[in-house]
Amino acid sequence: MNEDRATPAQLLAIAEAVVAPAAAQVAELRAGAAREVSTKSTETDVVTAADRAVERQLVAELRRRRPTDAVFGEEYGAGGDPAGAGGSGVRWLLDPIDGTVNYLYGIPWYAVSIAAEVDGEVVAGVVRNAATGDQWSASAGHGAWREGRRLRGSTETRLGHALVATGFGYQPARRAYQAEVLARLLPQVRDVRRLGAAALDLCLAAEGTVDVFYERGLQPWDHAAGGLIAAEAGLTVAGLDGAPGDGEMFIAAPPALFGPLHDRLRELAAAAGP
Ligand code: IPD
Ligand code: CA
């Protein structure tokens, strides 16, 4: 046990210190680097030079401040990098640009997402919209916040009146299945939104701008910060059948809506398929 272990509030302060310059870098690089497009898993999974540059900068900043923490980012993973070898128990999860397709097209809905885990549990997270500067944050036990306003989620209690945010993976077969599930859910809810950045979707659910969020196939860096922000806003954040929210299924909903949404997704076999 490391006696100098950082508190959630201290880790959040570091996340907040590094997220603003990272978001500014994302915005600055957009005009040039966004054109240097290459692809990852499929032709629609764009990754830009900006993703990579921002992640490199974030890793360097975090390593400078906390040299013995592990760092795990979307573009480089642990990157063959010994940053995490020091055994502090802290691991940072980074998405330099969540909403890469929006970034590519200039739709102002993309974010830098930074979370800190201690012994595998997310205890601090910040998500900053790089186009607008809007920022959401949370640390374990201290609530979720947006610009000094405490977030408490939606007060809606009827699934039929719920505005549902969700997203799609990049693999064509998975997308097709997800679209089928959504087509069957749509008549039973108020409407759906596919805004293109899961981290921001989770922040909208945390503040009640949408009522619920679910998605299959998210990666840890997609949901780590936003999931904590939603949970600290009082939402139930979980997967199906008592499982934790993860790549199989990630649901964030106010307690009154979680059960109905969970049961509907289960009936629709939303976590099955490719
Ligand atoms: C994607 C976005 C999108 C979600 C995908 C993610 P990226 O992340 O969060 O909203 O539906 O599952 O992969 O590729 O923009 O970082
Ligand atoms: Ca990304």
Side-chain angles (χ1 to χ4, degrees), residues 101-209:
V101 176
N102 287 341
Y103 185 68
L104 180 67
Y105 281 77
I107 297 168
W109 195 247
Y110 43 86
V112 181
S113 174
I114 302 175
E117 283 179 350
V118 175
D119 296 336
E121 194 176 325
V122 180
V123 299
V126 62
V127 176
R128 186 177 178 99
N129 182 328
T132 64
D134 292 323
Q135 184 170 308
W136 296 258
S137 63
S139 59
H142 294 95
W145 301 83
R146 175 178 178 177
E147 277 118 48
R149 179 165 62 91
R150 188 157 188 175
L151 308 180
R152 303 203 182 270
S154 162
T155 55
E156 182 55 63
T157 57
R158 298 154 297 182
L159 186 60
H161 289 225
L163 184 59
V164 179
T166 190
F168 306 113
Y170 287 107
Q171 296 296 337
R174 171 163 290 178
R175 297 184 143 193
Y177 190 84
Q178 288 174 311
E180 280 169 29
V181 170
L182 191 56
R184 293 172 67 198
L185 182 65
L186 179 56
Q188 300 177 337
V189 297
R190 184 188 296 280
D191 208 342
V192 299
R193 293 291 180 269
R194 196 293 190 245
L195 298 169
L200 288 169
D201 289 342
L202 283 160
C203 294
L204 291 192
E207 68 179 28
T209 300

Side-chain angles (χ1 to χ4, degrees), residues 214-225:
Y214 81 91
E215 186 167 342
R216 170 164 164 75
L218 291 181
Q219 299 292 333
W221 50 79
D222 293 320
H223 64 70

